[in-house]
Amino acid sequence: MIEIRNLHKSFGSLQVLKGVDLTLEKGKVLVIIGPSGSGKTTLLRCLNLLEVPDQGTLELGGLSLSFGSKLKKESVLSLRQKTGMVFQSYNLFPHMTVMQNVMEGPVTVQKKDRAEARGRAIELLEKVGLAEKADAYPHQLSGGQQQRVGIARAMAMEPEVLLFDEPTSALDPELVGDVLKVMKQLAAEGRTMVVVTHEMKFAADVADKVIFMDGGYIVEEGPPQQVIGNPTSPRAVQFLKRIS
Ligand code: ADP
């Protein structure tokens, strides 16, 4: 589903990704871990071109992109349609109800029929346990509830890959579990997911593959038992000791 080769990204003179290679099969869950500033979020954002890589190639859901020269607008749009992003800070539209937030993309971007979009939004809100909040506004919800709306909104666009950027790190600890539960359920349904997180138990339980990043490189890669349970690089050992 995803194949990345030799991906590079700099911000000015700061080299953030220094040659990343990665593959992920359809229906699998990839968790990206590593210290702050190692390039995790930048790598994730490169997957839907919120950041445009400087060099390298990306294949996602059958679409191939090569970076270094100007991208075609259609390629960027098709890639975005194949991915759905869940942000750390939810990014819901504050002036729209929960239902309107979930329907917005399908109706305005995908030009779906309103009744159809509404039906699908109800299903998705049921899936994330928030059907009864359909008419509430984001500020009337807890952070955990807002994030679950964020997940329903990303899924409403029927992406092939769901991307999660530290989805629980802005939440009070008691609200984290409900969000992780929804994510676990999506993984069990066979969704292809890429998740940047510090939740090691989630990674150990749900990931098919974990990568540990440091300094713009993938330093370790493998199943969670290996990367989290038995890391070999001194940096990964030190990082995992610190956060456990
Ligand atoms: P992580 O997710 O591992 O904490 P990031 O990918 O967010 O790391 O950031 C890696 C580095 O890139 C950091 O030094 C960060 O300050 C820098 N960076 C990220 N985004 C930008 C940006 N838009 N402009 C300039 N620097 C950035």
Side-chain angles (χ1 to χ4, degrees):
M1 178 65 82
I2 301 176
E3 180 157 344
I4 292 172
R5 291 280 161 252
N6 195 30
L7 207 72
H8 285 72
K9 175 69 184 172
S10 296
F11 295 108
S13 60
L14 180 69
Q15 263 192 296
V16 176
L17 300 179
K18 301 175 184 169
V20 169
D21 296 298
L22 186 66
T23 57
L24 185 68
E25 287 161 29
K26 188 173 160 76
K28 301 289 183 189
V29 177
L30 169 70
V31 170
I32 307 176
I33 62 170
S36 179
S38 58
K40 305 181 296 295
T41 291
T42 303
L43 175 58
L44 190 79
R45 289 167 66 88
C46 283
L47 292 177
N48 71 348
L49 301 180
L50 280 177
E51 302 297 349
V52 179
D54 303 320
Q55 193 188 322
T57 57
L58 166 65
E59 277 185 48
L60 193 149
L63 190 75
S64 295
L65 296 172
S66 187
F67 305 107
S69 51
K70 200 164 161 25
L71 291 172
K72 287 203 210 95
K73 211 170 178 182
E74 311 86 79
S75 312
V76 176
L77 290 177
S78 2
L79 187 78
R80 294 246 167 95
Q81 295 232 349
K82 289 177 185 286
T83 57
M85 177 76 101
V86 176
F87 297 92
Q88 180 179 357
S89 51
Y90 335 128
N91 292 11
L92 300 179
F93 299 114
H95 59 290
M96 291 184 186
T97 65
V98 162
M99 172 63 81
Q100 288 165 340
N101 265 281
V102 179
M103 287 173 61
E104 174 69 10
V107 170
T108 60
V109 180
Q110 295 178 332
K111 311 290 179 210
K112 286 237 171 86
D113 172 70
R114 284 194 83 80
E116 189 192 332
R118 174 173 283 273
R120 174 82 179 129
I122 291 169
E123 278 173 31
L124 289 169
L125 288 172
E126 274 166 7
K127 192 188 265 289
V128 301
L130 288 173
E132 81 285 7
K133 297 288 184 189
D135 297 323
Y137 285 86
H139 72 90
Q140 297 170 313
L141 305 182
S142 72
Q145 291 171 332
Q146 290 189 51
Q147 190 55 297
R148 285 185 280 148
V149 177
I151 294 173
R153 185 181 56 174
M155 288 180 45
M157 301 291 278
E158 297 177 337
E160 293 180 39
V161 181
L162 281 168
L163 309 174
F164 295 84
D165 188 8
E166 300 200 23
T168 59
S169 56
L171 300 177
D172 291 336
E174 74 272 21
L175 303 178
V176 168
D178 288 342
V179 172
L180 293 180
K181 198 170 126 198
V182 168
M183 292 170 65
K184 271 186 192 169
Q185 190 188 323
L186 296 177
E189 285 172 11
R191 306 252 169 199
T192 312
M193 297 164 55
V194 183
V195 185
V196 175
T197 187
H198 292 289
E199 295 288 339
M200 289 306 137
K201 186 168 180 329
F202 172 84
D205 292 348
V206 179
D208 296 290
K209 182 189 252 189
V210 177
I211 59 175
F212 172 76
M213 290 189 70
D214 191 30
Y217 295 104
I218 295 177
V219 176
E220 299 219 18
E221 171 174 0
Q225 312 84 283
Q226 181 188 321
V227 176
I228 297 175
N230 194 16
T232 51
S233 70
R235 285 292 290 132
V237 171
Q238 191 192 11
F239 171 78
L240 287 162
K241 212 182 271 171
R242 202 158 13 98
I243 70 163
S244 63

